[in-house]
Amino acid sequence: MKVRNPRTGLYDYEISPYSFDVLKRKVASMRSAQPKWLSAGIDHRIHVLQKWKNILEENRAELTEVLTLDTGRKLETIAEIDFVFKLIDSSCELARREFQNHHFEYQIEAFVSVGVISTWHFPLVFALIDTIPALLAGSSVIVKPSEKTPRFIKVIEKTLSQVAALAPVLHFVEGAEETGNSLCKLTDLICFKGTELSARKIYALAAENFIPAFVEYEGKGAGIVLEDANLERASSAILWGGVFNAGQTFEGIERVFVHRNIHSQFLSRLVGKTNLLTLAIQNASHGAIGPIISEEHALIINEQLADAIEKGAVIVAGSSKCILQKGGLYCRPTILTNVSMDMKIMQEKNFGPILPVRSFLTENDAISFANSVKTKYAGAVFSTNENSALNLAKKLNCNGVAINDVLLSNVFNGRELAPNFMSTITDSRLGDISIRKFLKQKSILISQENTKNDYWYK
Amino acid sequence: MKVRNPRTGLYDYEISPYSFDVLKRKVASMRSAQPKWLSAGIDHRIHVLQKWKNILEENRAELTEVLTLDTGRKLETIAEIDFVFKLIDSSCELARREFQNHHFEYQIEAFVSVGVISTWHFPLVFALIDTIPALLAGSSVIVKPSEKTPRFIKVIEKTLSQVAALAPVLHFVEGAEETGNSLCKLTDLICFKGTELSARKIYALAAENFIPAFVEYEGKGAGIVLEDANLERASSAILWGGVFNAGQTFEGIERVFVHRNIHSQFLSRLVGKTNLLTLAIQNASHGAIGPIISEEHALIINEQLADAIEKGAVIVAGSSKCILQKGGLYCRPTILTNVSMDMKIMQEKNFGPILPVRSFLTENDAISFANSVKTKYAGAVFSTNENSALNLAKKLNCNGVAINDVLLSNVFNGRELAPNFMSTITDSRLGDISIRKFLKQKSILISQENTKNDYWYK
């Protein structure tokens, strides 16, 4: 199976999806390795993961290189790898706490075989965000990264081969949709992150196999700027939230609602800052905006922009469609005004660096505009009055809201990770539940010899 | 739709399933009532549920009467109603704790509309075991009890009409499979208890509607009696665990494994005690064993007994098939020996008061016999050496194991409720999670004006 390079457009890499039978044998061998992994205890598991972290660190340069090839951008890759090291440490800490909290009466059992189907947006983060907690819980984990960004798998495999205790219970497989579907049939619990459409399919497959599924999908993030907001801060945060990683983020801002009285002041700041951003066409290290991951995604962006323009939207920064440069597809950071709620760009996720800005008069209008999308989303509210921002935040149909910031800061500016800031129908990937969701309690009820037992008849 | 009376066999009651449209309007009206219920706060919700409990208490006689008609037995009904009052109190306590533990940064959101599809085994308990925690969490709840035991619904509705604050957010509907399926399409979260086959269907429907499902289903319980067990206690506990409610329990014992050296001593005690048990044919109040709920269930029991006898099993107490008396179907408490693992009676749940007893020589044999069934089950281990019992318990593929007792004691002898002693692919009905599973966290990230923000470009 050929894989496209997002910077050159060339199909210069190839992956070999496992057949169902090979996958089945692999999962079976991991199942038989899992009891030893579990019974070795949490200290051992933490020790092994820390060792793996060190080996990943030794291979940081190579990992950066392949992830840069996979995604076409370097700055984001550097931040991504940093995030993963933090994730390993914070998960180890959480797991230690979790296993200290056990009651004597309950025995904890880990799901034996966990499947992870991850996405291309941040290939390493999403391959590991469920994997690390599951391993710490004591599960074996088989991971299928996106077929759009598979180049890092070989480097990961090389590092795993150096951690004898981990290799039997952690395995990465190459493959596309079919391989992911197979995992739903072969494992005991499935984790998925991707589009809502795929999330629905994976959940249905899990239901068919009668196993739990933890699925997370995109929301169409919204930023709301109140009349008394610090416009300097609001425009910087919203721009970053909208165009970071070329807009290819789950919690990224894709809609902006601004109070009518400050609309033009805000817009001029936003447009000014947007016009300073450059495309990273020459190489992956320089310029703010990298390539769009695939032709399919560029088409969605082009279609939404065309629909908006046809319905009267005006482009005040950026351009009306993706451009092709040296084989890569790029979308200029783009600001739209004169947008109306019936445009696709106001309703459907596009994963592009595009910010449509609409004004509002009353807070109720802002709320009803923001809540007009079908699923929950990431919110951001800007106001110098924290209380009014908070009151508004509570009325938004969001899984998470940032006040005077965007939720991306939560992840990439070193803040604490808060549970449930993504759209998900199940438990969060973050916080205590991140470990606990891979554990089942087995209750053991001990009766003392002298316990009175009334069995009704005896 | 006509409903059979389990004691007379007459179809003497009728239910009127809602049409999809009526159900849809009902759920819509409950959705609009839910925000008020939630925003009134946990103290209010506890107050209202306690008030309802008092009204249920005032109607205890009538409730006992209709539930006795529904199920054909009185002693179990009395215990069931007691259990429900305890459930309301313990849930209120849990909910108060849950709502005190909130972090300032997180806002808790309840699922707006919860659907509960419950079973006939204990009609009131299973109609309320998810309903009470969901109401306390702040959800509106629509409940569809089993079409086999619908007579108590009218009494519940009468009590609800006396609690003005509860009636808009709690509603019971009559109906069978189709009505349950409709609830999967109309609500935001579904709770189900019933057979594994139905649990799989409900989970698939929930996946189709892309909502969470909490499903619980039967396991084929096993009792293991070690060589050093107190046989007096073991035989009483296992008998009770096997025949309570005529065997119609999810965690009931349906298989007994006894060490070879004490096999005959144990068996003679078990048979002696079994022979003292009488059928409750004259009326619902006297006699240990009430009617089997339906003809369909009696057929399953008969078929399993016939299969066992054909394959060489010997009946040492009880009889080889259900008997028809005054229109009701009864199964004598029945003990089988000479059983082998290939018999249906050793593999498939029958929900009858039947205990096949098989001897073992080594503990490994006992474990592999007990673990030979496909799904998790309720276990019971008897030994005067608590440590060896505990070690064996840990190797059983159970969601819960009782040591020198049966898990039913957990529920009906006033012990603490332990989470996860049932077969379930999702979270437990009991413990902290009972409330928490109806809540979603919405994270709110507050940035201070002086927080350093590195938005990469500005």
Side-chain angles (χ1 to χ4, degrees), chain A residues 233 240 396 442 447 453 455, chain B residues 233 240 396 442 453 455:
Chain A
R233 184 185 181 96
W240 192 72
L396 299 177
K442 173 176 174 179
S447 276
N453 283 284
Y455 295 128
Chain B
R233 185 185 180 94
W240 191 72
L396 298 177
K442 172 175 174 180
N453 284 284
Y455 295 127

Side-chain angles (χ1 to χ4, degrees), chain A residues 134-209:
Chain A
L135 287 168
L136 287 165
S139 302
S140 68
V141 187
I142 187 155
V143 188
K144 190 206 80 62
S146 168
E147 70 277 16
K148 292 192 170 69
T149 52
R151 293 167 184 83
F152 75 105
I153 298 176
K154 291 238 182 318
V155 180
I156 293 288
E157 278 180 344
K158 191 184 77 177
T159 63
L160 280 178
S161 70
Q162 297 172 57
V163 194
L166 194 55
V169 289
L170 175 58
H171 189 69
F172 278 66
V173 290
E174 298 178 346
E177 191 179 342
E178 204 182 319
T179 311
N181 295 352
S182 299
L183 284 186
C184 297
K185 290 183 193 135
L186 293 168
T187 58
D188 305 325
L189 183 154
I190 205 87
C191 296
F192 172 85
K193 172 146 187 149
T195 63
E196 187 190 335
L197 192 70
S198 303
R200 285 174 176 267
K201 283 184 198 161
I202 292 292
Y203 189 30
L205 283 169
E208 208 177 282
N209 189 30

Side-chain angles (χ1 to χ4, degrees), chain A residues 109 203 211 233 240 376 393 396 399-401 403 405 415 419 424 440-443 445 447 451 453 455, chain B residues 109 203 211 233 240 376 393 396 399-401 403 405 415 419 424 440-443 445 447 451 453 455:
Chain A
E109 290 194 338
Y203 189 30
I211 61 170
R233 184 185 181 96
W240 192 72
K376 297 202 174 203
L396 299 177
N399 276 324
V401 187
I403 307 286
D405 208 336
R415 303 275 170 72
T424 163
K440 291 200 109 175
Q441 284 192 331
K442 173 176 174 179
S443 57
L445 172 80
S447 276
T451 311
N453 283 284
Y455 295 128
Chain B
E109 289 194 338
Y203 189 29
I211 62 171
R233 185 185 180 94
W240 191 72
K376 297 204 176 203
L396 298 177
N399 276 323
V401 187
I403 308 285
D405 210 335
R415 303 275 170 72
T424 162
K440 292 198 110 175
Q441 285 192 329
K442 172 175 174 180
S443 57
L445 172 81
S447 276
T451 309
N453 284 284
Y455 295 127

Side-chain angles (χ1 to χ4, degrees), chain B residues 231-367:
Chain B
L231 299 186
E232 192 51 38
R233 185 185 180 94
S235 55
S236 286
I238 286 176
L239 179 61
W240 191 72
V243 310
F244 176 67
N245 200 31
Q248 300 173 125
T249 62
F250 282 77
E251 60 290 275
I253 304 288
E254 293 204 359
R255 302 172 295 152
V256 187
F257 303 105
V258 185
H259 192 278
R260 189 193 285 181
N261 295 352
I262 48 142
H263 181 259
S264 63
Q265 288 164 267
F266 173 82
L267 196 65
S268 68
R269 275 184 172 80
L270 185 65
V271 169
K273 289 171 183 177
T274 303
N275 284 333
L276 297 176
L277 300 179
T278 53
L279 298 182
I281 294 173
Q282 289 309 315
N283 63 57
S285 311
H286 297 98
I289 313 292
I292 298 301
I293 194 72
S294 72
E295 290 162 311
E296 168 201 352
H297 284 81
L299 280 178
I300 292 171
I301 291 173
N302 287 347
E303 195 199 313
Q304 287 199 14
L305 285 169
D307 171 77
I309 291 164
E310 197 193 305
K311 288 177 179 154
V314 174
I315 292 178
V316 290
S319 62
S320 65
K321 58 182 205 168
C322 297
I323 56 170
L324 185 68
Q325 288 282 327
K326 298 179 175 183
L329 289 154
Y330 294 83
C331 182
R332 291 192 189 286
T334 297
I335 314 292
L336 298 168
T337 58
N338 279 41
V339 291
S340 55
M341 301 309 292
D342 63 331
M343 295 172 179
K344 281 183 190 166
I345 214 151
M346 298 302 277
Q347 296 293 333
E348 295 165 21
K349 188 86 176 170
N350 56 47
F351 284 114
I354 300 168
L355 290 165
V357 181
R358 169 170 188 158
S359 68
F360 66 84
L361 189 55
T362 68
E363 287 194 9
N364 279 344
D365 285 346
I367 293 163

Side-chain angles (χ1 to χ4, degrees), chain B residues 426-441:
Chain B
T426 41
D427 284 320
S428 175
R429 293 193 139 73
L430 304 171
D432 292 352
I433 197 76
S434 66
I435 313 278
R436 206 170 296 153
K437 70 170 181 269
F438 299 108
L439 295 171
K440 292 198 110 175
Q441 285 192 329

Side-chain angles (χ1 to χ4, degrees), chain A residues 75-76 79 104 106-107 109 111 196 199-200 203-204 206-213 215 217 230 233 236-237 239-240 243-245 273 276-277 288-289 376 382-384 386 390 392-407 409-410 412-413 415-421 424-427 433 436 440-458, chain B residues 75-76 79 104 106-107 109 111 196 199-200 203-204 206-213 215 217 230 233 236-237 239-240 243-245 273 276-277 288-289 376 382-384 386 390 392-407 409-410 412-413 415-421 424-427 433 436 440-458:
Chain A
L75 288 179
E76 283 85 342
F104 168 73
Y106 302 117
Q107 188 192 354
E109 290 194 338
F111 283 87
E196 187 190 335
R200 285 174 176 267
Y203 189 30
E208 208 177 282
N209 189 30
F210 207 41
I211 61 170
V215 301
Y217 50 95
N230 175 334
R233 184 185 181 96
S236 286
L239 179 61
W240 192 72
V243 310
F244 176 67
N245 200 32
K273 289 171 183 178
L276 296 178
L277 300 179
I289 312 291
K376 297 202 174 203
F382 295 84
S383 167
T384 45
E386 197 178 293
L390 206 50
L392 196 149
K394 288 180 179 171
K395 292 175 189 149
L396 299 177
N397 184 30
C398 292
N399 276 324
V401 187
I403 307 286
N404 292 319
D405 208 336
V406 288
L407 284 175
S409 299
N410 205 20
F412 283 100
N413 272 339
R415 303 275 170 72
E416 266 301 293
L417 297 176
N420 259 58
F421 68 89
T424 163
I425 58 157
T426 42
D427 284 318
I433 198 76
R436 206 170 295 154
K440 291 200 109 175
Q441 284 192 331
K442 173 176 174 179
S443 57
I444 298 189
L445 172 80
I446 300 174
S447 276
Q448 304 307 320
E449 267 301 309
N450 56 358
T451 311
K452 190 186 160 296
N453 283 284
D454 178 8
Y455 295 128
W456 294 25
Y457 18 79
K458 58 191 140 204
Chain B
L75 289 177
E76 283 86 341
F104 168 73
Y106 303 119
Q107 186 191 357
E109 289 194 338
F111 284 87
E196 188 190 335
R200 286 174 177 267
Y203 189 29
E208 208 178 280
N209 189 29
F210 209 40
I211 62 171
V215 301
Y217 52 94
N230 176 335
R233 185 185 180 94
S236 286
L239 179 61
W240 191 72
V243 310
F244 176 67
N245 200 31
K273 289 171 183 177
L276 297 176
L277 300 179
I289 313 292
K376 297 204 176 203
F382 294 85
S383 166
T384 44
E386 197 178 293
L390 207 51
L392 196 149
K394 289 181 178 169
K395 292 174 187 149
L396 298 177
N397 185 28
C398 292
N399 276 323
V401 187
I403 308 285
N404 293 319
D405 210 335
V406 288
L407 285 174
S409 298
N410 204 22
F412 283 100
N413 273 337
R415 303 275 170 72
E416 268 299 293
L417 297 176
N420 257 60
F421 68 92
T424 162
I425 57 157
T426 41
D427 284 320
I433 197 76
R436 206 170 296 153
K440 292 198 110 175
Q441 285 192 329
K442 172 175 174 180
S443 57
I444 298 188
L445 172 81
I446 301 173
S447 276
Q448 304 306 321
E449 267 300 310
N450 55 359
T451 309
K452 188 186 162 295
N453 284 284
D454 177 7
Y455 295 127
W456 294 23
Y457 20 78
K458 58 193 138 201

